[in-house]
Amino acid sequence: MLEQQAAVDRVFHALGDPARRAMIDRLSRGPASVSELAAPFSMTLAAVVQHVQVLEASGVITTQKVGRVRTCQLAPEGLAAAERWISERRSLWERRFDRLGALLDEEEEAPTPTPKKRKKR
């Protein structure tokens, strides 16, 4: 259980930065070198490498080094922990809303009691 929570925490941490989300968007179109990932950003290559390390540690991407080139590739299964967590919460809230809707329907269908008239003295 704690390992699953740690995996979810790592994925959400990785997704919490706009630069890393942009890198994931780029990798959704196919593998890219670290230099290619760095191109649209005004940050050092060292900073991009740190972002890549966070993404890799979270399991969202994998990297492979051939010679001097490190190529990054999206690992969709890395998002599975976050997807499960979100799905569980969505399911819980949908059940709660369904119960609330059923309760409101019951109240709407129930006849409203008519007030009793008081006798005048």
Side-chain angles (χ1 to χ4, degrees):
M1 179 73 168
L2 289 177
E3 179 56 36
Q4 290 174 342
Q5 188 60 43
V8 170
D9 290 346
R10 285 190 301 270
V11 171
F12 280 120
H13 172 70
L15 297 175
D17 185 275
R20 289 193 288 265
R21 288 193 305 272
M23 291 176 191
I24 291 169
D25 285 342
R26 166 54 188 89
L27 292 172
S28 68
R29 295 189 303 273
S33 69
V34 172
S35 297
E36 291 170 330
L37 289 178
F41 300 105
S42 59
M43 64 176 81
T44 65
L45 193 57
V48 172
V49 167
Q50 287 180 330
H51 284 297
V52 167
Q53 289 171 341
V54 170
L55 291 169
E56 189 171 25
S58 72
V60 174
I61 69 167
T62 59
T63 64
Q64 181 180 10
K65 189 169 184 179
V66 177
R68 297 181 69 190
V69 177
R70 179 165 300 277
T71 302
C72 305
Q73 183 170 322
L74 196 59
E77 65 278 0
L79 296 173
E83 287 179 63
R84 275 191 306 275
W85 187 87
I86 290 168
S87 178
E88 289 167 2
R89 266 79 210 149
R90 179 183 296 129
S91 177
L92 173 71
W93 279 103
E94 285 173 352
R95 286 192 310 269
R96 288 180 178 173
F97 283 130
D98 288 345
R99 285 195 311 256
L100 177 61
L103 179 65
L104 292 174
D105 288 344
E106 284 176 19
E107 285 185 7
E108 191 175 280
E109 292 171 3
T112 55
T114 55
K116 294 182 180 179
K117 292 186 179 180
R118 290 185 167 183
K119 293 182 184 178
K120 290 187 181 179
R121 293 184 185 186

